[in-house]
């Protein structure tokens, strides 16, 4: 396979994986990294077409043609869509104070086990000298079916399931 095609693939996937890693490391700015990924996909597609037109990359064998195809955003987009279809996304997050303690409620639209919603409750524990909240499981978690019926409830107290 052509060294140029291999180099293009290596650089392309190094940048894509790097942007994904940066987005995972800093969830508060992950949407910004998503925009960078989309912009990079456009730039990479443009460069690939430019290299093909100028014959800087000229695939002759079937392996080189596969190498050119793997350098397109199509595979990245397909992998991204497959991964996102399995990922649970928080549809809402609510943080509030009650009786001098901080609480957080998370709602997931697509629970992996039921296919319906899941509502989780957390309480913050105080840790002196830290600015970040440490959340522990608290209260009753509710699992709903796709139709909205309650499937089960699990009660937690201080991060331990209560029977």
């Amino acid at each position: 396979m052509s060294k140029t095609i291999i180099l293009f693939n290596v650089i392309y996937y190094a940048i894509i994986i790097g942007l994904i890693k940066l987005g995972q490391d800093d969830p508060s700015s992950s949407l910004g990294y998503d925009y960078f990924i989309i912009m990079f996909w456009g730039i990479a597609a443009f460069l690939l077409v430019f290299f093909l037109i100028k014959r800087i990359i000229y695939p002759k064998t079937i392996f080189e043609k596969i190498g050119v195809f793997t350098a397109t955003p199509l595979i990245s987009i397909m992998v991204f869509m497959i991964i996102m279809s399995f990922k649970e996304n928080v549809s809402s997050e609510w943080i509030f104070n009650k009786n001098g303690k901080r609480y957080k409620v998370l709602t997931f639209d697509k629970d992996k086990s039921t296919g319906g919603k899941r509502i989780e409750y957390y309480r913050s524990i105080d840790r002196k000298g830290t600015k970040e909240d440490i959340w522990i499981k608290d209260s009753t978690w509710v699992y709903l079916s796709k139709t909205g019926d309650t499937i089960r409830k699990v009660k937690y107290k201080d991060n331990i399931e209560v029977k």
Side-chain angles (χ1 to χ4, degrees):
M1 187 177 302
S2 164
K3 291 179 184 177
T4 310
I5 295 172
I6 293 171
L7 181 64
F8 192 89
N9 271 294
V10 168
I11 292 171
Y12 174 79
Y13 283 104
I15 291 172
I16 290 293
I17 291 169
L19 288 172
I20 290 170
K21 177 88 173 93
L22 287 171
Q24 288 176 338
D25 290 345
D26 188 8
S28 63
S29 64
S30 63
L31 185 59
Y33 288 110
D34 290 347
Y35 288 125
F36 285 137
I37 290 171
I38 292 169
M39 286 189 296
F40 179 71
W41 280 339
I43 292 168
F46 173 79
L47 281 175
L48 188 60
V49 169
F50 176 78
F51 289 158
L52 288 168
I53 290 172
K54 292 292 184 179
R55 302 229 183 242
I56 296 169
I57 294 177
Y58 186 71
K60 296 175 187 172
T61 67
I62 189 74
F63 292 114
E64 289 179 341
K65 291 176 183 177
I66 291 171
V68 169
F69 178 73
T70 60
T72 64
L74 295 175
I75 291 183
S76 301
I77 292 170
M78 289 181 351
V79 168
F80 179 76
M81 304 255 314
I82 290 169
I83 290 171
M84 291 307 290
S85 70
F86 294 111
K87 184 179 176 186
E88 291 182 323
N89 289 322
V90 175
S91 62
S92 71
E93 180 176 346
W94 179 39
I95 298 175
F96 61 94
N97 296 324
K98 182 179 176 184
N99 298 329
K101 295 183 180 178
R102 290 176 53 79
Y103 291 90
K104 175 168 68 170
V105 180
L106 297 176
T107 304
F108 293 84
D109 274 343
K110 186 178 175 186
D111 177 56
K112 287 182 181 178
S113 60
T114 65
K117 283 189 177 186
R118 181 177 75 239
I119 304 169
E120 302 177 351
Y121 297 87
Y122 296 91
R123 180 175 49 86
S124 176
I125 57 174
D126 293 329
R127 293 196 39 169
K128 294 183 180 181
T130 62
K131 293 182 180 179
E132 292 184 24
D133 288 320
I134 306 298
W135 299 102
I136 61 172
K137 296 176 182 178
D138 192 65
S139 193
T140 304
W141 289 25
V142 181
Y143 295 82
L144 304 168
S145 69
K146 290 180 182 178
T147 59
D149 298 324
T150 302
I151 296 174
R152 68 183 166 122
K153 294 181 180 183
V154 180
K155 186 165 178 76
Y156 291 98
K157 177 75 175 162
D158 295 326
N159 221 29
I160 299 171
E161 184 177 342
V162 179
K163 300 282 178 175

